Each structure stands twice: as structure tokens, then as C-alpha cells.
Amino acid sequence: MFSNVRGYAAFSAQQPLGLFRFDRRSLRDDDVAVEILYCGVCHSDLHNARNDWGNANYPMVPGHEIIGRVVEVGPSVTRFKAGDAVGVGCMVDSCGRCASCARGLEQYCENQATYTYNGTDPQDGSTTYGGYSERIVVSQDFVLRVPDGLDLAGAAPLLCAGITTWSPLRHCKVGPGSRVAVVGLGGLGHMALKLAKALGAEVTLFTRSAGKEADARRLGADRIVLSADPSAMGANAGRFDLIVDTVPYVHDVNPYVPTLATDGTLVLVGYLGPLDPMLNTAPLVMNRKAVAGSLIGGIAETQEMLDFCARHGIAADVERIRIQDIEQAFERMLRSDVKYRFVIDMASLKDAA
Ligand code: NAP
Ligand code: ZN
């Protein structure tokens, strides 16, 4: 057992995160122990820490964009050795037997995938603790290989923001000739721009923030549309094959539907809950359009995305922070003041008293 592992935890929805010491399990046969170097800060960490989804278990150690180095492996581990650069994303286990797992869709495991934090380990019933910590122990089947050449801090957000946007792009077979739009330029949004562009699509950003235009172009957007401007929205009628909507809070989806082409799909990856205002079905029916959802991506698909990023020189644009500054990062995230992902340098944890 790794005892007295340092991490940062939320202790309730109201309190700031603070130092927390806990134990990590001894290595099982197929486990890999990882010393964490960087962990990205996802808006889901904020939702979870503040119990926006009503299922928080405290203390909670958030973090599911983990990059580190292997320090030890269990006796049956064949794919990793000490010193390897690896990643861990949003899942650390799944049943491995159901139809979804058989298709490489572990995120849709019919027996519930085990989330990296705020989850329950299926073997010993313990609560899972995430990447805002110095070390993690994970089955090799849920560990990703970080290809050579990827910047390690910039690779961390690929483990969630990257795969969550990659998966709908691939599912919708985006490539040259596709017209893709992205709603919201934050962590997920900026990865969606980069990945859609690298896949060869024409890429449009819908944003509320006029000040993000220059950055959006640099990140891969060919076109920028201010979503609050009805005439700009009208000028895009019938255009997009795929819209990836990353907005974290309830918002009006109806203005985006007319911008879909016939057979186009709007995929919600941000907000979880009832839409308000309600969705008008008429424009869906009249042009065979779809409004859909998507959750992260499978393990093989995540490796595919990491390899694609290495080949195309893609990583997240990150602002490195100390773990002691996590609350300011959360506050800035709430103000959409992120360029474009905070990544915690875990060396700062060594200074935590
Ligand atoms: P983020 O960095 O905070 O970016 C969200 C962006 O959405 C903002 O930068 C802003 O862009 C826009 N926005 C924010 N509040 C808005 C509002 N009230 N109305 C309209 N637009 C708003 O967040 P993130 O880390 O990318 O995460 C986005 C969402 O995806 C979160 O809800 C997160 O929990 C979720 N998520 C889902 C999955 C999944 O598997 N489905 C995985 C990871 C994260 P502009 O300034 O450009 O408008
Ligand atoms: Zn995430």
C-alpha cells in the first residue's frame, strides 16, 4: 500500500479544496503505479467538487487528465515498465464483459464504468481518488501510452478534453469536406477546433465572447460566429454536418438547430439535464436533424487520438498553475477566463504543508 499519499480534496460543496492525505492500494497483478506530473483542470472537476450533479462523495480528490511516469508495475503487467510516460483519463475500470466493453465503448459499460474519482472500485468497494495527487494506481488496461514528442503538460488535457471532442468527430466521420461547428471556446472547445481542423474539416466557432476571435483563428477556426447576433446566426442556416456543443450550463439550443444541414447532428457534450427553453422538434423533423449526446471515449479510441495528436503536433494550450491556486482557477473558469486549459504542475504539491 502507498500510505500518506498527498492530494488536494474537496471536503464539501462550499469549502475550498485543501490538502488531504490518503492511501493508495497495493499493486494488484495487472496494476501500474504512476507518479503524477501534471493534471488538467476540467470543468467537470468544478461541477463535481461543487456537487452540481448531486452525486458527490467527500472528501473528493478531483482530476481525470493525468500525465505521469510509471514507477512500479504488478507481476502480470506486460505493456508498461518503470519510466514510461503514461496517461490516465476519466475511467479506471469497466466490467470488460458486456456488449459495450466488447466494442471498445468502456465509457458506456452496461455495468457502469468506474470513474477515476468519485467512483467506487468494483473489487474492494473503496472510493476512487483522482489526479490532484502525487500518485495513482490503475489497471494497465486503463493506462494510455503517451507517444514520444508530445509535450507532457500539453498532453494532459487530451485525456478528457481531447477524447471527448475526438469521439463525436470520429463517430460522425468528419474529414475533408465536412463542415463542423463548435459551441463555446474553453478547454473542450479549443481541442475541438484543433482536432476538427486536423481532420480536414471546415471549422466554425460559435461563441458569446467577441474577444476570442483571434485566438479561435490561431486554434483552427476558419469562421467565427457570435451566437448572440441573430443575423450572423441566420447567415449560417443549413450549413453544418456536426455541431459539438461544449457549454457547461443550461442554454437555448434552438438557435443552433437551423444551422444544421439536412442529416446534421448537434452533439451535446457539456450540459447534463433538461433543456430550458425546451427543444422545438419541428426543425428536426422537417430536415432529419438530430440532437444527441456523447460521453468521453473508449480506451482504444483515446490511444488513437493521442497517436493522431503526436503525428499532427497537437497538444492543448495550457496555463500551468500550482495546486495551491486551484480555487482561483475554478473562479476564472466560471468567468470563461481560461486560455485554454489550466494544468496543475504536481511538483507544487511537494510544497503543500
Ligand atoms: P470551460 O473550459 O469552462 O469552457 C466552457 C465554455 O463554454 C466557455 O469558455 C464559454 O465559451 C462557454 N460558456 C460557459 N458558460 C456558458 C453559458 N452559461 N452559456 C453559454 N456559453 C457558456 O469548460 P470545459 O472544461 O471545456 O467543459 C465544458 C463542459 O463539458 C462542462 O460541462 C464539462 O463538465 C463537460 N464535459 C463533458 C464531458 C463528456 O464526456 N461529455 C467530458 C468533459 C467535460 P465562450 O466564451 O466561447 O462562449
Ligand atoms: Zn473532464
Side-chain angles (χ1 to χ4, degrees):
M1 186 161 67
F2 300 99
S3 46
N4 247 349
V5 172
R6 275 175 296 194
Y8 252 50
F11 296 96
S12 75
Q14 290 79 30
Q15 280 169 279
L17 270 65
L19 184 64
F20 174 56
R21 289 176 185 271
F22 59 100
D23 298 334
R24 293 281 190 197
R25 67 172 182 250
S26 306
L27 264 62
R28 297 173 185 150
D29 284 359
D30 66 338
D31 271 345
V32 173
V34 179
E35 182 197 358
I36 300 175
L37 299 173
Y38 299 104
C39 186
V41 180
C42 180
H43 208 111
S44 303
D45 299 346
L46 176 58
H47 286 309
N48 276 310
R50 307 240 164 127
N51 200 18
D52 288 351
W53 295 326
N55 65 345
N57 291 305
Y58 300 106
M60 177 197 299
V61 178
H64 57 208
E65 293 185 342
I66 299 168
I67 290 283
R69 286 210 182 270
V70 174
V71 287
E72 215 181 314
V73 298
S76 62
V77 170
T78 50
R79 296 176 40 234
F80 300 99
K81 60 179 189 320
D84 287 352
V86 294
V88 178
C90 303
M91 298 178 286
V92 288
D93 213 341
S94 72
C95 85
R97 298 179 306 274
C98 71
S100 294
C101 287
R103 292 171 61 200
L105 299 172
E106 297 88 354
Q107 74 275 32
Y108 304 123
C109 173
E110 289 159 24
N111 297 300
Q112 171 77 65
T114 304
Y115 295 123
T116 302
Y117 67 88
N118 200 45
T120 304
D121 182 86
Q123 293 192 43
D124 64 17
S126 63
T127 298
T128 56
Y129 295 126
Y132 295 8
S133 61
E134 54 192 350
R135 180 167 288 215
I136 192 164
V137 176
V138 183
S139 159
Q140 67 169 346
D141 293 344
F142 287 81
V143 176
L144 286 308
R145 186 169 297 286
V146 178
D148 289 343
L150 269 184
D151 171 66
L152 293 184
L158 302 179
L159 276 308
C160 175
I163 184 57
T164 301
T165 50
W166 176 257
S167 189
L169 292 168
R170 295 289 282 160
H171 187 68
C172 293
K173 301 186 169 49
V174 165
S178 307
R179 289 173 162 180
V180 173
V182 175
V183 187
L185 184 51
L188 268 58
H190 98 291
M191 287 312 309
L193 295 183
K194 290 185 186 216
L195 294 170
K197 186 69 184 172
L199 285 167
E202 176 207 86
V203 185
T204 299
L205 173 69
F206 287 117
T207 179
R208 307 166 303 172
S209 311
K212 291 183 178 175
E213 174 154 0
D215 279 352
R217 289 197 189 280
R218 179 176 55 75
L219 294 165
D222 301 296
R223 307 166 67 255
I224 288 94
V225 178
L226 290 177
S227 49
D229 176 350
S231 66
M233 295 296 282
N236 284 278
R239 188 171 190 98
F240 302 111
D241 306 304
L242 170 65
I243 301 176
V244 181
D245 181 335
T246 74
V247 173
Y249 298 98
V250 68
H251 59 289
D252 190 359
V253 171
N254 292 297
Y256 299 100
V257 174
T259 71
L260 286 171
T262 297
D263 280 333
T265 305
L266 184 152
V267 178
L268 292 156
V269 294
Y271 173 65
L272 295 177
L275 289 172
D276 183 17
M278 285 191 272
L279 190 62
N280 178 1
T281 63
L284 303 179
V285 172
M286 300 311 285
N287 288 91
R288 198 163 62 180
K289 296 175 179 179
V291 172
S294 186
L295 179 69
I296 46 176
I299 294 298
E301 193 179 29
T302 306
Q303 189 65 60
E304 172 196 74
M305 178 272 314
L306 288 169
D307 296 344
F308 177 90
C309 286
R311 278 200 309 281
H312 290 263
I314 294 174
D317 283 28
V318 305
E319 180 176 340
R320 291 188 196 204
I321 61 165
R322 290 157 41 84
I323 191 123
Q324 292 81 353
D325 297 329
I326 186 63
E327 287 297 322
Q328 291 92 307
F330 279 173
E331 291 308 319
R332 282 183 56 193
M333 202 176 234
L334 282 170
R335 297 197 301 270
S336 300
D337 176 23
V338 189
K339 290 187 173 171
Y340 278 89
R341 197 57 140 188
F342 294 114
V343 169
I344 303 164
D345 184 343
M346 220 45 75
S348 59
L349 200 46
K350 297 193 169 45
D351 302 332

mmCIF file of all heavy atoms in Angstrom, residues 42-45 64-65 90 117 160-161 164 188 296 341, ligand 2:
data_model
loop_
_atom_site.group_PDB
_atom_site.id
_atom_site.type_symbol
_atom_site.label_atom_id
_atom_site.label_comp_id
_atom_site.label_asym_id
_atom_site.label_seq_id
_atom_site.Cartn_x
_atom_site.Cartn_y
_atom_site.Cartn_z
ATOM 1 N N CYS A 42 -10.538 20.195 -15.489
ATOM 2 C CA CYS A 42 -11.708 20.113 -16.355
ATOM 3 C C CYS A 42 -12.888 20.798 -15.671
ATOM 4 O O CYS A 42 -12.981 20.788 -14.436
ATOM 5 C CB CYS A 42 -12.025 18.634 -16.599
ATOM 6 S SG CYS A 42 -13.452 18.340 -17.648
ATOM 7 N N HIS A 43 -13.794 21.349 -16.474
ATOM 8 C CA HIS A 43 -14.985 21.961 -15.853
ATOM 9 C C HIS A 43 -15.780 20.918 -15.056
ATOM 10 O O HIS A 43 -16.466 21.256 -14.097
ATOM 11 C CB HIS A 43 -15.859 22.622 -16.935
ATOM 12 C CG HIS A 43 -16.669 23.766 -16.417
ATOM 13 N ND1 HIS A 43 -16.430 25.087 -16.760
ATOM 14 C CD2 HIS A 43 -17.724 23.791 -15.563
ATOM 15 C CE1 HIS A 43 -17.302 25.868 -16.132
ATOM 16 N NE2 HIS A 43 -18.103 25.102 -15.413
ATOM 17 N N SER A 44 -15.633 19.636 -15.431
ATOM 18 C CA SER A 44 -16.299 18.572 -14.658
ATOM 19 C C SER A 44 -15.754 18.505 -13.224
ATOM 20 O O SER A 44 -16.487 18.125 -12.308
ATOM 21 C CB SER A 44 -16.096 17.211 -15.325
ATOM 22 O OG SER A 44 -16.567 17.237 -16.646
ATOM 23 N N ASP A 45 -14.483 18.851 -13.038
ATOM 24 C CA ASP A 45 -13.923 18.858 -11.678
ATOM 25 C C ASP A 45 -14.669 19.874 -10.816
ATOM 26 O O ASP A 45 -14.974 19.622 -9.640
ATOM 27 C CB ASP A 45 -12.427 19.210 -11.704
ATOM 28 C CG ASP A 45 -11.599 18.209 -12.502
ATOM 29 O OD1 ASP A 45 -12.112 17.116 -12.803
ATOM 30 O OD2 ASP A 45 -10.433 18.544 -12.830
ATOM 31 N N HIS A 64 -9.015 14.141 -13.805
ATOM 32 C CA HIS A 64 -9.035 12.989 -14.708
ATOM 33 C C HIS A 64 -8.323 13.306 -16.034
ATOM 34 O O HIS A 64 -8.674 12.754 -17.065
ATOM 35 C CB HIS A 64 -10.465 12.457 -14.909
ATOM 36 C CG HIS A 64 -11.455 13.457 -15.418
ATOM 37 N ND1 HIS A 64 -12.799 13.375 -15.141
ATOM 38 C CD2 HIS A 64 -11.317 14.566 -16.181
ATOM 39 C CE1 HIS A 64 -13.437 14.383 -15.738
ATOM 40 N NE2 HIS A 64 -12.549 15.109 -16.374
ATOM 41 N N GLU A 65 -7.366 14.203 -15.961
ATOM 42 C CA GLU A 65 -6.495 14.465 -17.117
ATOM 43 C C GLU A 65 -5.063 14.320 -16.616
ATOM 44 O O GLU A 65 -4.361 15.294 -16.376
ATOM 45 C CB GLU A 65 -6.748 15.875 -17.667
ATOM 46 C CG GLU A 65 -8.131 16.038 -18.270
ATOM 47 C CD GLU A 65 -8.377 17.401 -18.925
ATOM 48 O OE1 GLU A 65 -7.634 18.360 -18.638
ATOM 49 O OE2 GLU A 65 -9.321 17.486 -19.721
ATOM 50 N N CYS A 90 -10.625 9.524 -17.727
ATOM 51 C CA CYS A 90 -11.800 9.612 -16.847
ATOM 52 C C CYS A 90 -12.232 8.288 -16.254
ATOM 53 O O CYS A 90 -13.058 8.248 -15.349
ATOM 54 C CB CYS A 90 -12.976 10.200 -17.626
ATOM 55 S SG CYS A 90 -12.610 11.809 -18.317
ATOM 56 N N TYR A 117 -12.378 9.397 -10.334
ATOM 57 C CA TYR A 117 -12.622 9.896 -8.966
ATOM 58 C C TYR A 117 -14.116 9.946 -8.722
ATOM 59 O O TYR A 117 -14.911 9.914 -9.671
ATOM 60 C CB TYR A 117 -11.961 11.267 -8.742
ATOM 61 C CG TYR A 117 -12.532 12.418 -9.549
ATOM 62 C CD1 TYR A 117 -13.598 13.168 -9.072
ATOM 63 C CD2 TYR A 117 -11.992 12.763 -10.779
ATOM 64 C CE1 TYR A 117 -14.110 14.227 -9.809
ATOM 65 C CE2 TYR A 117 -12.489 13.822 -11.514
ATOM 66 C CZ TYR A 117 -13.553 14.551 -11.027
ATOM 67 O OH TYR A 117 -14.067 15.593 -11.746
ATOM 68 N N CYS A 160 -9.096 14.073 -21.359
ATOM 69 C CA CYS A 160 -10.547 14.267 -21.271
ATOM 70 C C CYS A 160 -11.023 15.228 -22.355
ATOM 71 O O CYS A 160 -11.813 14.861 -23.212
ATOM 72 C CB CYS A 160 -10.984 14.730 -19.885
ATOM 73 S SG CYS A 160 -12.748 15.113 -19.843
ATOM 74 N N ALA A 161 -10.528 16.480 -22.337
ATOM 75 C CA ALA A 161 -10.997 17.447 -23.347
ATOM 76 C C ALA A 161 -10.730 16.938 -24.753
ATOM 77 O O ALA A 161 -11.551 17.092 -25.657
ATOM 78 C CB ALA A 161 -10.313 18.802 -23.126
ATOM 79 N N THR A 164 -13.029 13.665 -25.503
ATOM 80 C CA THR A 164 -14.472 13.987 -25.501
ATOM 81 C C THR A 164 -14.883 14.688 -26.787
ATOM 82 O O THR A 164 -16.028 14.551 -27.233
ATOM 83 C CB THR A 164 -14.813 14.849 -24.273
ATOM 84 O OG1 THR A 164 -14.455 14.126 -23.099
ATOM 85 C CG2 THR A 164 -16.289 15.209 -24.229
ATOM 86 N N LEU A 188 -12.671 22.141 -23.739
ATOM 87 C CA LEU A 188 -13.142 21.209 -24.761
ATOM 88 C C LEU A 188 -13.190 21.892 -26.120
ATOM 89 O O LEU A 188 -12.784 21.318 -27.140
ATOM 90 C CB LEU A 188 -14.538 20.666 -24.408
ATOM 91 C CG LEU A 188 -14.568 19.348 -23.615
ATOM 92 C CD1 LEU A 188 -13.807 19.445 -22.309
ATOM 93 C CD2 LEU A 188 -15.990 18.884 -23.375
ATOM 94 N N ILE A 296 -17.148 11.111 -23.110
ATOM 95 C CA ILE A 296 -15.704 10.857 -23.314
ATOM 96 C C ILE A 296 -15.436 9.972 -24.533
ATOM 97 O O ILE A 296 -15.905 10.278 -25.628
ATOM 98 C CB ILE A 296 -15.010 10.380 -22.016
ATOM 99 C CG1 ILE A 296 -15.810 9.280 -21.294
ATOM 100 C CG2 ILE A 296 -14.788 11.575 -21.100
ATOM 101 C CD1 ILE A 296 -15.142 8.697 -20.047
ATOM 102 N N ARG A 341 -6.670 25.748 -21.089
ATOM 103 C CA ARG A 341 -6.821 24.733 -20.064
ATOM 104 C C ARG A 341 -5.809 24.999 -18.961
ATOM 105 O O ARG A 341 -4.617 25.181 -19.250
ATOM 106 C CB ARG A 341 -6.533 23.345 -20.667
ATOM 107 C CG ARG A 341 -7.029 22.170 -19.853
ATOM 108 C CD ARG A 341 -8.486 22.211 -19.589
ATOM 109 N NE ARG A 341 -9.161 20.936 -19.678
ATOM 110 C CZ ARG A 341 -10.479 20.842 -19.622
ATOM 111 N NH1 ARG A 341 -11.240 21.904 -19.462
ATOM 112 N NH2 ARG A 341 -11.058 19.656 -19.710
HETATM 113 ZN ZN ZN B 2 -13.142 16.182 -17.948
#
